Amino acid sequence: MLARWSYISTSRLDSIDTEERIRDIVAVSIPRNRSLQVTGSLLFTGRRFAQYIEGTSAAIEELKASILRDSRHEDVRTIAWGEYAHRRFVTWSLAYAGPSHFVSDIVERALNDTLERGDEGIETLIQTMSEFSIHGRS
Ligand SMILES: Cc1cc2nc3c(=O)[nH]c(=O)nc-3n(C[C@H](O)[C@H](O)[C@H](O)COP(=O)(O)O)c2cc1C
C-alpha cells in the first residue's frame, strides 16, 4: 500500500545563498528518494516550502522523520497524510522547479484552505506541483 505526506513549512535559510542551499537539499534528496522508491515534488516560494512525497509507508515514515528534524525549515504543517491508491509523480524522484514567487499565492491559499477545510485545499496545491514538475528539473 502506498502512503503520501504533504506539508507546508517556513524556510529558515539565509536569503543570501538560498538557491544554493536548496540545490544542496535537492542533490541529497534525489538519490535518497530514488533508492527508497519515493517520488514527489518540492516548491519554494521565497518564504515557504511545500512538498509532496509518496512511496511505501516505511519509506515515507523514514523520510518524514528526517525532514521533520531538519533545522533548515520550521513550523512544518501537514496538509495530507495517509494511505493513497496511486502515485501522482510517477517519474520524479523529486521535481524541483526553482524558487517561484509566482506560486507563492497559490501555496499561501492552499495552506489557508487546508487549515480551514481539510483535504480540499490540498488538491489545488498538488495540481500546481504537477504542473511545475512538468517544467521542472529532476
Ligand atoms: C524542505 C526540505 C525538503 C526535503 N526533502 C527531502 C526529500 O525529499 N528527500 C530527502 O532524502 N531529503 C530531503 N530533505 C533533507 C532531509 O531533511 C535530510 O537532511 C536528508 O534526507 C538526510 O537525512 P538525515 O538528516 O536523516 O541523515 C529535505 C529537507 C528540507 C529542508
Side-chain angles (χ1 to χ4, degrees), residues 85-104:
H86 61 274
R87 286 186 193 258
R88 303 286 292 258
F89 297 92
V90 181
T91 60
W92 296 88
S93 301
L94 189 67
Y96 174 65
S100 176
H101 299 280
F102 173 71
V103 294
S104 176

Side-chain angles (χ1 to χ4, degrees), residues 7 9 25 28-29 32-33 42 49 51 53 63 66-67 69-70 72-73 94:
Y7 67 85
S9 65
I25 294 173
V28 168
S29 300
R32 188 171 179 206
N33 292 6
L42 177 68
F49 291 105
Q51 187 171 26
I53 53 174
L63 267 188
S66 287
I67 292 169
R69 66 169 169 256
D70 198 311
R72 290 171 288 190
H73 62 170
L94 189 67

